[in-house]
């Protein structure tokens, strides 16, 4: 089977690209799919995340570092396409790098995590142009915004809602709230699934995102 490719992109650092990449990769791997995370960010956060796991309990998906491939990352990723069911490319901020554009060339789905505050959202609007440019070359590319670090009990600020149409990208139904267990997952090299009942709200969010993503790329 040819792998479905998901590129996790945003203009901005700190919007949740690595968090979404790793939680999604772990959740899909738990469904007995073969999952590869391509760490395309020279900061190597995804690689460190997986390396933080204990030997007895490795991170459930494979992680490789390919940031050195730079604008040729799509060619490198293609080499793995027959060996995995899903390849998730954790990209560096688009403003500093040609990698996101390259990753989007071969992606089935672009996920754009954004923090729903007006400042973060304005800073991320530039990713729209990157996706639009690539859509001419990769007509199959689908895209979704994923709201991350939502605060419970505060509705999305009116200003943020007004900015959403600027992206010209559909909004995923699943949303991710601000929760400590997302940070803890990185420290322990795991996903929220490994934190038991205290993580049940986070597990629900990641499972909803996973189901939505798998439906978009048409794999169950
Ligand atoms: N939903 C969340 N709740 C709490 N902390 C989060 C959440 N999403 C991300 N973080 C934290 O915010 C920081 C930036 O997230 P990260 O996924 O590394 O962003 P990016 O890869 O876009 O730079 C990290 O310390 C991460 O643990
Ligand atoms: Mg990152």
């Amino acid at each position: 089977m040819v792998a479905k490719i998901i590129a996790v992109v945003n203009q901005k650092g700190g919007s949740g690209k690595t968090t979404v990449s790793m939680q999604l990769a772990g959740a899909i791997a738990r469904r007995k799919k073969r999952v590869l995370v391509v760490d395309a960010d020279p900061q190597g956060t995804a690689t460190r995340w997986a390396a933080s796991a204990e030997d007895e309990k490795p991170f459930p998906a494979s992680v490789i570092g390919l940031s050195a491939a730079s604008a040729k990352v799509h060619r490198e990723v293609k080499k793995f396409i027959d060996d995995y069911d899903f390849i998730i490319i954790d990209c560096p901020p688009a403003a500093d790098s040609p990698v996101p554009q390259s990753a989007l060339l071969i992606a089935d789905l672009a996920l754009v995590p954004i923090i729903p505050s007006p400042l973060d959202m304005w800073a991320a609007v530039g990713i729209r142009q990157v996706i639009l440019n690539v859509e001419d070359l990769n007509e199959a590319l689908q895209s979704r915004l994923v709201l991350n670090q939502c605060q419970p009990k505060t509705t999305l600020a009116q200003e943020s809602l007004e900015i959403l149409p600027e992206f010209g990208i559909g909004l995923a139904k699943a949303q991710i709230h601000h929760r400590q267990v997302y940070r803890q997952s990185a420290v322990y090299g795991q996903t929220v699934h490994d934190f038991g009942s205290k993580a049940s709200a986070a597990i629900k969010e990641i499972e909803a995102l996973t189901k939505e993503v798998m439906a978009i790329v048409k794999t169950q």
Side-chain angles (χ1 to χ4, degrees), residues 8 12-19 21 39 41 43-46 90-93:
V8 185
K12 273 205 83 195
S15 61
K17 293 179 291 298
T18 303
T19 300
S21 298
D39 185 354
D41 187 341
Q43 288 193 20
T45 314
D90 179 24
C91 290

Side-chain angles (χ1 to χ4, degrees), residues 71-192:
K72 297 196 176 86
V73 78
H74 60 291
R75 290 196 207 157
E76 294 301 313
V77 170
K78 268 189 191 157
K79 296 177 185 166
F80 297 96
I81 208 161
D82 292 320
D83 300 329
Y84 290 91
D85 302 308
F86 281 84
I87 300 176
I88 299 175
I89 311 176
D90 179 24
C91 290
D96 323 334
S97 162
V99 165
Q101 191 141 1
S102 168
L104 289 167
L105 279 175
I106 48 157
D108 297 286
L109 172 65
L111 288 180
V112 185
I114 46 166
I115 299 172
S117 81
L119 281 180
D120 281 277
M121 293 177 75
W122 280 122
V125 167
I127 195 66
R128 175 187 183 208
Q129 197 54 45
V130 180
I131 293 175
L132 280 180
N133 290 346
V134 173
E135 272 174 354
D136 290 338
L137 303 164
N138 176 5
E139 285 175 7
L141 180 66
Q142 303 196 64
S143 49
R144 295 287 188 281
L145 299 172
V146 181
L147 297 181
N148 182 32
Q149 301 229 24
C150 302
Q151 299 283 359
K153 298 195 182 94
T154 53
T155 48
L156 194 58
Q158 189 58 33
E159 298 95 314
S160 305
L161 278 175
E162 284 165 8
I163 297 164
L164 276 177
E166 297 277 334
F167 285 94
I169 300 173
L171 186 63
K173 284 192 208 80
Q175 299 182 358
I176 301 172
H177 284 76
H178 179 87
R179 301 181 194 281
Q180 283 310 318
V181 72
Y182 286 114
R183 281 177 198 271
Q184 286 168 343
S185 300
V187 173
Y188 293 100
Q190 298 298 338
T191 66
V192 291

